[in-house]
């Protein structure tokens, strides 16, 4: 009796103890505090990355010197010695101040004098509020489209409505607005029209072509898509633009001659479509076969499978190259200058042919570059944001 | 050997039209003969486990049943509909046949709930609320209703495979195909998936399952089919087959399996 009691007591004692270790393996993993991060802070960072040895120190100092000289020189030219305005005289602006500063200071006055021509080209001066609204509409459209909470079917209607409004504003001829023929349009609206309409139409075209090129049971469609892509990719955009502006009218019956901007627009759409199609095809190919099979096994139709399963994933995969192509095409629209369409770059070039302002091309080009950069930079930042957002929801 | 397959045992509901019927099915990948004269009948509510060494054609066979692969010779009749190039027949069959894959194949850009409701809403034309209710009931059955709003990437392998089972069940299929459902799982997750499948078997679902889990086969299968080099070598009730293998090929396979476990 007594012995059994002791056994029970010993057992319960053992149960109360922490679990004994087995052959040196601790019962619970040992946790330690994370070691303190040594060498944090900007000074330590600079020491390890910029001044770690005499070679690295020498290179750092040399680069600081070059960069500093360049930045100081630019500030000196662009701000300290710059001419911001010039007096107006009866014979027009008096640019003598700019001529005096030539070589030492920038002549920003040329921008102040010419900005409306650069932005709106030869659009009638008194009607330039219309292209100004058009630019605002475009930017508004971009902002709305960029917000995920507006990504629903109604967005398509917003696009149709906005693009219609843009057409009405540019052409006029209704609602008491003076009619402005397309030949007189110019500047930033042309660049935005070419790139926005261009991508809005080439993107769906590209999706269809990419899907067609992967089609296994429609060989004719596949062949057509391959021919389209290879034909368009094999030709420089300039050639396409020339064909659209010079050759195309030769084949049209007299009297039927779609305007030049429309022809250039079609060329841009076809060109962008071929490139985007290849980018999208890359995404389709990168998707695991199991995704196609799972959709098939569930009985989804081809279009349900493509629309709900394949494209959403394929397009997410190719956001970086897609945006790369978008940015490329936004800038490539400036090539229309060779067929005499007044886009942003062309109106900038024409603005400085004014005898008063000849010789101030640097200033104008800097401003043009800044405008292009602003649009491209926003696109790039937005795509990075999208990537992080998608990777957060989809993968761990 | 294969002729004996369908008559070696009266399976449940054998008087009705069989759920799946394969008659002299042959398939080639190029010159490679991967399925050789496969004849197999699966009755309503029957549970068949297919086993065999890798490359024996067992996955190919099961994938022919819902035409993820096409066969070149022979007939495959599923639920009274013959599989041909007729797309409408294929749609009918895929609606009635659910499939679970080795690599889960959940849709990573959709939530668990959306994974489960997509096909019922679009293929079965079910109202969204009803489809969600159905999905939640199946997710409850596979014991992960609390994960409904998460994305597949946030779940463990075992949980993902249970979602895949629930997703297939949401289509209310008459037949369920499993293609090595536990082969891609860590050992500690295999049991939760097998338990789910055992639970499903108890509801009387017609099941064809490619697996190496012999314990599962013993517990659930009405019949085990052993395949090797593209043909059915032996088939019969699990206990007969495992305890009394008739061929050297099966004996070799069983000894390798047992050594591996």
């Amino acid at each position: 009796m007594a012995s059994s009691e002791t056994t029970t007591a010993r057992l319960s004692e053992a149960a109360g103890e922490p679990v004994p270790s087995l052959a040196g393996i601790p019962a619970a993993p040992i946790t330690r505090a994370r070691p303190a991060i040594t060498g944090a802070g900007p000074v330590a960072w600079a020491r390890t990355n910029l001044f770690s040895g005499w070679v690295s120190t020498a290179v750092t100092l040399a680069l600081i010197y070059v960069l500093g000289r360049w930045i100081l020189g630019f500030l000196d030219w662009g701000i300290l010695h710059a001419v911001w305005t010039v007096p107006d005289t009866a014979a027009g602006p008096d640019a003598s101040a700019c001529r005096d500063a030539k070589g030492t200071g920038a002549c920003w006055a040329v921008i102040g004098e010419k900005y409306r021509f650069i932005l709106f080209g030869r659009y009638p001066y008194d009607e330039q509020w219309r292209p100004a609204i058009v630019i605002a509409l475009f930017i508004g459209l971009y902002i709305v489209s960029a917000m995920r909470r507006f990504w629903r079917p109604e967005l398509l209607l917003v696009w149709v409505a906005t693009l219609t409004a843009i057409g009405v504003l540019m052409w006029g001829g209704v609602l008491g607005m003076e009619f402005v023929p397309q030949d007189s349009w110019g500047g930033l609206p042309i660049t935005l029209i070419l790139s926005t309409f261009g991508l809005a139409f080439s993107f769906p075209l590209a999706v269809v072509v990419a899907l067609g090129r992967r089609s296994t049971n429609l060989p004719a469609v596949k062949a057509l898509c391959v021919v389209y892509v290879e034909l368009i990719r094999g030709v420089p955009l300039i050639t396409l633009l020339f064909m659209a502006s010079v050759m195309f009218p030769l084949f049209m019956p007299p009297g039927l001659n779609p305007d030049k901007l429309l022809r250039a627009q079609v060329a841009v759409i076809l060109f962008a479509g071929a490139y985007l199609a290849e980018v999208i095809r890359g995404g389709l190919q990168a998707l695991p076969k199991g995704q196609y099979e799972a959709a098939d096994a569930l009985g989804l139709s081809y279009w349900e499978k493509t629309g709900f399963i394949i494209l959403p994933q394929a397009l997410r995969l190719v956001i970086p190259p897609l945006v790369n192509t978008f940015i490329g095409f936004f800038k490539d629209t400036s090539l229309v200058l060779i067929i005499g369409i007044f886009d942003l770059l062309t109106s900038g070039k024409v603005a400085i042919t004014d005898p008063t302002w000849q010789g101030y091309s640097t200033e104008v080009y800097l401003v043009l570059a800044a405008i292009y950069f602003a649009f491209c930079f926003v696109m790039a930042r937005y795509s990075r944001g999208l990537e992080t957002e998608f990777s957060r929801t989809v993968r761990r | 050997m294969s002729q004996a397959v369908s008559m070696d045992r009266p399976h449940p509901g054998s008087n009705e039209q069989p759920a799946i019927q394969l008659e002299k099915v042959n398939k080639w990948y190029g010159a490679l003969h991967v399925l050789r004269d496969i004849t197999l009948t699966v009755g309503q509510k029957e549970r068949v486990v297919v086993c065999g060494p890798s490359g024996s054609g067992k996955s190919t066979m099961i994938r022919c049943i819902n035409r993820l692969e096409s066969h070149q010779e022979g007939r495959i009749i599923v639920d009274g509909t013959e599989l041909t190039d007729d797309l409408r027949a294929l749609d009918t069959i895929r609606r009635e046949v659910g499939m679970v894959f080795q690599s889960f194949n959940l849709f990573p850009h959709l939530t668990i709930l959306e994974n489960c409701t997509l096909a019922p809403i679009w293929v079965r034309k079910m109202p969204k609320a009803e489809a969600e209710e159905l999905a939640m009931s199946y997710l409850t059955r596979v014991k992960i209703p609390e994960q409904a709003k998460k994305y597949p990437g946030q779940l463990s392998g075992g949980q993902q495979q249970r979602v895949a089972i629930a997703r297939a069940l949401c289509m209310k299929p008459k037949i369920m195909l499993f293609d090595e459902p536990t082969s891609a799982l860590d050992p500690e997750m295999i049991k939760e998936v097998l338990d789910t499948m055992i639970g499903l078997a108890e509801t009387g679902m017609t099941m064809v399952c490619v697996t190496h889990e012999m314990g599962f086969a013993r517990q659930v299968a009405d019949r085990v089919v052993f395949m090797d080099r593209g043909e059915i070598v032996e088939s019969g009730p699990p206990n007969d087959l495992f305890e009394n293998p008739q061929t050297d090929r099966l004996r070799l396979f069983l000894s390798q399996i047992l050594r591996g476990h």
Side-chain angles (χ1 to χ4, degrees):
Chain A
M1 193 69 190
S3 70
S4 86
E5 261 177 33
T6 359
T7 323
T8 325
R10 204 178 296 143
L11 273 176
S12 62
E13 208 177 86
E17 280 172 7
V19 185
S21 62
L22 286 166
I25 302 169
I30 301 163
T31 53
R32 284 195 296 142
R34 175 183 171 161
I37 299 161
T38 50
V43 177
W45 180 88
R47 191 170 295 155
T48 47
N49 291 296
L50 301 177
F51 302 101
S52 60
W54 67 268
V55 178
S56 129
T57 306
V59 170
T60 303
L61 290 177
L63 284 176
I64 287 177
Y65 176 75
V66 171
L67 216 62
R69 276 296 297 269
W70 194 83
I71 290 173
L72 286 178
F74 184 81
L75 290 179
D76 192 50
W77 174 82
I79 294 174
L80 283 181
H81 289 100
V83 179
W84 297 93
T85 49
V86 290
D88 243 339
T89 64
D94 173 17
S96 54
C98 273
R99 277 194 293 279
D100 295 343
K102 185 104 181 114
T104 54
C107 175
W108 297 120
V110 63
I111 306 298
E113 285 294 324
K114 290 289 180 188
Y115 79 98
R116 283 184 63 163
F117 188 85
I118 294 170
L119 283 181
F120 307 123
R122 291 176 303 185
Y123 207 87
Y125 196 82
D126 292 334
E127 299 288 324
Q128 283 180 359
W129 56 274
R130 280 154 56 181
I133 294 179
V134 164
I135 293 173
L137 278 175
F138 268 123
I139 292 173
L141 188 62
Y142 302 149
I143 292 173
V144 169
S145 309
M147 292 194 209
R148 282 194 80 184
R149 92 181 99 115
F150 296 122
W151 289 8
R152 48 178 101 156
E154 292 89 322
L155 187 59
L156 197 69
L157 293 178
V158 174
W159 269 73
V160 172
T162 312
L163 295 184
T164 313
I166 284 167
V168 168
L169 278 167
M170 289 303 285
W171 262 299
V174 287
L175 304 170
M177 288 185 291
E178 187 194 324
F179 175 74
V180 179
Q182 185 267 307
D183 305 355
S184 311
W185 301 5
L188 188 56
I190 290 280
T191 297
L192 295 181
I193 286 171
L194 279 173
S195 45
T196 309
F197 278 87
L199 292 175
F201 283 94
S202 63
F203 189 74
L205 172 71
V207 168
V208 171
V209 169
L211 291 172
R213 204 171 167 176
R214 281 176 57 82
S215 159
T216 44
N217 44 8
L218 297 170
V221 171
K222 182 177 176 168
L224 199 69
C225 294
V226 173
V227 168
Y228 161 70
V229 169
E230 298 305 338
L231 214 59
I232 299 284
R233 271 203 309 185
V235 176
L237 178 55
I238 291 188
T239 318
L240 273 186
L241 289 171
F242 267 131
M243 288 199 318
S245 92
V246 183
M247 276 172 63
F248 185 69
L250 297 178
F251 304 129
M252 294 301 282
L256 186 69
N257 201 3
D259 73 30
K260 195 155 65 170
L261 183 64
L262 181 64
R263 280 180 274 138
Q265 181 74 77
V266 170
V268 167
I269 290 172
L270 288 179
F271 197 69
Y275 276 86
L276 290 174
E278 285 300 279
V279 170
I280 294 169
R281 190 165 69 94
L284 292 175
Q285 250 152 6
L287 216 58
K289 205 167 145 240
Q291 293 291 310
Y292 291 85
E293 289 179 349
D296 282 338
L298 284 170
L300 294 174
S301 73
Y302 175 79
W303 290 110
E304 287 160 358
K305 172 175 73 173
T306 306
F308 296 128
I309 309 300
I310 306 305
L311 277 181
Q313 294 187 69
L315 293 180
R316 278 169 210 206
L317 281 174
V318 293
I319 289 175
L322 217 48
V323 172
N324 194 26
T325 316
F326 282 5
I327 289 176
F329 275 100
F330 179 70
K331 294 179 298 179
D332 278 359
T333 54
S334 58
L335 286 173
V336 296
L337 80 90
I338 59 141
I339 57 169
I341 291 176
F342 255 67
D343 79 318
L344 182 60
L345 187 61
T346 318
S347 37
K349 274 174 79 97
V350 172
I352 46 180
T353 55
D354 182 339
T356 320
W357 299 109
Q358 265 173 4
Y360 303 104
S361 54
T362 314
E363 289 82 348
V364 171
Y365 282 131
L366 274 175
V367 167
L368 291 180
I371 295 175
Y372 276 106
F373 179 79
F375 279 98
C376 295
F377 184 70
V378 168
M379 269 194 264
R381 284 310 297 254
Y382 177 67
S383 91
R384 272 175 55 185
L386 265 192
E387 274 176 66
T388 9
E389 196 172 325
F390 283 145
S391 61
R392 199 170 42 230
T393 53
V394 171
R395 279 175 201 93
R396 246 189 297 201
Chain B
M1 189 64 66
S2 46
Q3 291 92 318
V5 163
S6 55
M7 48 190 90
D8 51 14
R9 176 184 137 155
H11 25 76
S14 58
N15 53 336
E16 300 166 33
Q17 161 200 60
I20 305 167
Q21 226 178 327
L22 283 80
E23 284 172 22
K24 296 220 165 266
V25 172
N26 280 281
K27 178 177 175 61
W28 290 263
Y29 285 128
L32 191 68
H33 198 174
V34 286
L35 292 182
R36 305 168 193 235
D37 279 338
I38 298 283
T39 297
L40 175 70
T41 304
V42 179
Q44 302 283 355
K45 301 194 171 180
E46 196 185 8
R47 298 177 298 259
V48 174
V49 163
V50 183
C51 62
S54 82
S56 60
K58 51 194 193 307
S59 280
T60 309
M61 181 189 77
I62 202 174
R63 287 158 60 86
C64 280
I65 295 174
N66 65 352
R67 213 180 174 77
L68 289 181
E69 310 269 359
S70 55
H71 58 287
Q72 276 97 43
E73 264 179 27
R75 276 155 56 97
I76 299 178
I77 299 158
V78 180
D79 194 36
T81 312
E82 179 165 1
L83 270 176
T84 55
D85 288 328
D86 178 12
L87 289 175
R88 227 166 330 136
L90 184 60
D91 281 348
T92 319
I93 287 168
R94 283 184 175 163
R95 223 169 289 166
E96 304 305 335
V97 179
M99 184 156 200
V100 175
F101 299 86
Q102 181 176 351
S103 48
F104 329 136
N105 293 346
L106 294 180
F107 305 131
H109 62 301
L110 301 178
T111 63
I112 299 306
L113 190 64
E114 287 165 345
N115 262 280
C116 293
T117 56
L118 184 73
I121 289 173
W122 290 93
V123 181
R124 288 246 186 255
K125 313 286 176 216
M126 199 182 274
K128 191 172 175 222
E130 195 184 323
E132 285 182 350
E133 202 179 315
L134 181 75
M136 285 315 291
S137 76
Y138 279 115
L139 287 174
T140 309
R141 218 165 98 184
V142 302
K143 301 196 177 68
I144 34 176
E146 72 283 358
Q147 313 281 6
K149 295 285 173 210
K150 289 194 185 165
Y151 287 88
Q154 297 167 298
L155 269 56
S156 75
Q159 290 175 322
Q160 289 195 45
Q161 193 61 298
R162 284 186 280 151
V163 172
I165 295 172
R167 176 176 73 176
L169 291 177
C170 283
M171 282 294 286
K172 297 198 169 160
K174 292 180 180 159
I175 300 164
M176 283 286 283
L177 307 175
F178 293 84
D179 186 5
E180 305 207 30
T182 55
S183 301
L185 293 174
D186 291 336
E188 74 265 30
M189 292 172 184
I190 291 178
K191 188 174 178 296
E192 64 187 60
V193 171
L194 289 181
D195 284 346
T196 307
M197 290 167 64
I198 291 166
L200 181 62
E202 282 161 2
T203 65
M205 174 68 75
T206 308
M207 290 164 72
V208 179
C209 182
V210 173
T211 183
H212 290 151
E213 296 295 332
M214 294 302 142
F216 171 77
R218 269 178 206 277
Q219 188 176 349
V220 165
D222 296 311
R223 191 146 53 98
V224 174
V225 172
F226 171 64
M227 286 182 74
D228 190 21
R229 285 175 241 163
E231 55 191 358
I232 294 179
V233 180
E234 265 188 68
S235 89
N239 286 337
D240 294 4
L241 210 75
F242 294 152
E243 256 119 66
N244 198 9
Q246 301 293 309
T247 58
D248 289 342
R249 284 200 260 177
L250 179 54
R251 265 192 288 276
L252 179 69
F253 175 71
L254 288 175
S255 70
Q256 281 166 342
I257 285 273
L258 292 176
R259 210 182 307 139
H261 280 250

